[in-house]
Amino acid sequence: MTERSEIEPVARVINGKAIAARLTGEIGKAVATLRSVHGVQPGLAVILMGDDPASQVYVRNKARQTVAAGMQSFDHNLDGSAPESELLDLISRLNSDPSAHGILVQLPLPDHINVNLVMEAIDPAKDVDGFHPVNVGRLATGEAGLVPGTPLGCIILAKDVTPDLTGHEAVVIGRSNIVGKPVAQLLLAENCTVTIAHSRTRDLPGVVRRADLLIAAAGVPELVQGDWVKPGAIVIDVGINRVPAPERGEGKTKLVGDVAFDSVSQVAGAITPVPGGVGPMTIACLMRNTVQAACSIHGIDYVEPIVDSEKAV
Ligand code: GUN
């Protein structure tokens, strides 16, 4: 942790990279069984529209890890100025392509594209992002469905610290459809008492201080300070913010989360770092969802991979 900070954290630093690697290893084994026993090779189609550099990096990483897990990866690049109908036609073709079990449209999309229309065009059985209203509804009603990867990753990391979250006061900062709302639903399913805080919340530090489990997904660099956090709390930082780092040299930048790591890691019981916390879990959970989708499409029972706790290794 010395490259991140001069101060030694008091909290356990949750190693998201290691936990994601173990999950990916288990997914690789599940894929091998699917191929050898059932003759099914899961396939993930990723659509990238435009040339946003951050999205290009994500998509490349997804493709690399998909292939590394023994699955097929199909990359589709559309020009940023392509009409919406071209994207919808491509989704329609992938919906009926038996080798694509998962379809992911990389966000953000260009301004002329109606995101809701695009999400609704994806077959819910192939919606590995869990953004289709059918899967959103299933999550809300507790039915089996595809669950968004980043929220799922947050829960896996929290449960690596405390396997039973029952009765925990959980506070989520952020109410996005991608993280805040779905992670709140998952926490509810884990029997937590859940508060969703957001930019209009009154006395945010006071609300955060109640949390045994804090999920920070506000998109505000280092928003959560050490004196906001209950001693011993589990802190899961979803933020990835690039900020100037003049201390590293002129024009240099660094990644920080939504949590001020140095001060919060002196108070919390466990904390995820940025980078190396939630980030690696997102792609691992996407791989998991692709296997789940392939199983469900082929009528094969999906068995949740067991990810051993870091402490047990
Ligand atoms: N862009 C940033 N995060 C995500 C994600 O989880 N899914 C998709 N489709 N695009 C993203």
Side-chain angles (χ1 to χ4, degrees), residues 139 184-192 194:
L139 177 59
Q185 295 287 0
L186 289 172
L187 290 166
L188 207 49
E190 295 291 336
N191 304 310
C192 292
V194 184

Side-chain angles (χ1 to χ4, degrees), residues 55 58 62 104-108 119 129 131 149-150 178 282:
S55 291
Y58 282 138
K62 278 171 198 163
L104 180 143
V105 179
Q106 183 65 29
L107 302 176
M119 294 301 130
D129 256 332
F131 295 160
T150 302
I178 293 180
T282 299

Side-chain angles (χ1 to χ4, degrees), residues 42-169:
L44 172 64
V46 174
I47 303 173
L48 173 62
M49 194 166 179
D51 49 15
D52 175 61
S55 291
Q56 284 172 333
V57 173
Y58 282 138
V59 167
R60 224 177 301 129
N61 284 339
K62 278 171 198 163
R64 190 171 40 79
Q65 292 198 34
T66 305
V67 171
M71 300 191 263
Q72 280 190 287
S73 171
F74 308 103
D75 287 337
H76 297 272
N77 294 299
L78 294 187
D79 197 274
S81 61
E84 190 175 77
S85 58
E86 197 175 323
L87 176 56
L88 294 174
D89 285 348
L90 174 57
I91 292 171
S92 167
R93 284 200 301 280
L94 292 170
N95 280 343
S96 44
D97 178 349
S99 54
H101 301 95
I103 302 170
L104 180 143
V105 179
Q106 183 65 29
L107 302 176
L109 285 167
D111 288 345
H112 68 283
I113 304 289
N114 179 337
V115 180
N116 290 339
L117 200 66
V118 169
M119 294 301 130
E120 285 171 34
I122 298 171
D123 179 348
K126 298 189 174 189
D127 170 37
V128 282
D129 256 332
F131 295 160
H132 190 287
V134 164
N135 284 316
V136 175
R138 285 176 179 154
L139 177 59
T141 56
E143 277 175 81
L146 289 159
V147 169
T150 302
L152 193 55
C154 292
I155 301 295
I156 294 172
L157 294 181
K159 290 180 77 166
D160 194 72
V161 179
T162 302
D164 185 1
L165 299 172
T166 297
H168 278 48
E169 283 277 353

Side-chain angles (χ1 to χ4, degrees), residues 13 36 39 81 84 105 198 224 229 233 264 274 303-304:
V13 180
S36 61
S81 61
E84 190 175 77
V105 179
H198 46 78
V224 177
V229 172
V264 174
V274 176
V303 180
E304 189 70 60

